[in-house]
């Protein structure tokens, strides 16, 4: 499954998604909300925003373990820097693997995120990082700033 989402309060809401042909899939639809901190999509959204926005959001999260929350976000920033995406290999759901990349669509819209994920018995972390990540990065490169161009297109 590949999905587009953005932050909504302290979560990420799926705006649109596309499923593969597998009979078994992650059970999410447009409008579904997922964790901002525990999912690849949520962490990629945090990595895509400004440090000031990220800090403001983190201050709103009432986590029982503040140090663990901060460590999770720091790990997401390191993944973004080192891999070019954020990863969730069993973090959001124990049997789901996913990667996600944030981008800035432009046109005054907030940062958005695209992810790719599936049950772990269908996709391994290696597959996501080696096969899916380059394709996801190419898609995000096409989407980055795309709304800035929308007004310049001939009608």
């Amino acid at each position: 499954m590949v999905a587009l989402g953005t932050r909504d309060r302290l979560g990420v809401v799926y705006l649109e998604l596309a499923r593969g042909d597998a009979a078994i899939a992650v059970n999410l639809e447009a409008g579904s909300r997922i964790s901002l901190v525990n999912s690849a999509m949520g962490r990629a959204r945090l990595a895509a925003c400004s440090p000031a926005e990220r800090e403001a959001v983190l201050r709103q999260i009432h986590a029982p373990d503040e140090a663990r929350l901060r460590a999770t976000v720091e790990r997401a920033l390191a993944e973004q820097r080192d891999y070019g995406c954020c990863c969730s290999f069993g973090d959001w759901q124990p049997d789901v693997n996913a990667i996600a990349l944030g981008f800035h669509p432009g046109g005054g819209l907030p940062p958005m995120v695209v992810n790719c994920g599936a049950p772990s018995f269908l996709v391994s972390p290696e597959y996501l990082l080696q096969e899916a990540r380059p394709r996801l990065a190419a898609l995000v490169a096409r989407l980055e700033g795309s709304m800035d161009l929308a007004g310049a297109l001939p009608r």
Side-chain angles (χ1 to χ4, degrees):
M1 179 175 80
V2 175
L4 172 71
T6 195
R7 184 172 75 85
D8 180 36
R9 290 173 253 157
L10 298 179
V12 175
V13 64
Y14 275 59
L15 301 173
E16 188 62 66
L17 57 99
R19 297 188 197 291
D21 295 333
I24 299 173
V26 177
N27 191 21
L28 294 168
E29 301 293 333
S32 295
R33 294 174 57 87
I34 60 172
S35 171
L36 190 60
V37 176
N38 296 324
S39 68
M41 189 173 236
R43 293 192 296 245
R45 175 57 177 81
L46 286 171
C49 66
S50 70
E53 179 188 349
R54 185 169 39 253
E55 186 58 35
V57 169
L58 291 176
R59 280 194 305 268
Q60 294 176 45
I61 297 173
H62 302 290
D65 186 348
E66 177 80 14
R68 184 171 177 217
L69 171 68
R70 299 280 175 176
T72 298
V73 173
E74 287 303 317
R75 186 181 85 208
L77 295 173
E79 288 173 350
Q80 181 65 42
R81 182 186 63 244
D82 297 344
Y83 302 128
C85 66
C86 291
C87 309
S88 174
F89 304 135
D91 299 336
W92 173 65
Q93 298 267 331
D95 57 348
V96 175
N97 289 332
I99 60 171
L101 288 86
F103 67 97
H104 296 88
L109 294 172
M112 297 180 135
V113 186
V114 176
N115 78 344
C116 178
S120 56
F121 68 88
L122 290 176
V123 296
S124 66
E126 295 78 21
Y127 174 83
L128 288 170
L129 290 172
Q130 294 170 7
E131 301 293 328
R133 181 179 48 151
R135 295 176 189 168
L136 210 56
L139 172 62
V140 165
R142 289 180 55 207
L143 294 172
E144 182 78 30
S146 61
M147 295 308 292
D148 286 339
L149 302 174
L153 297 175
R155 296 188 190 264

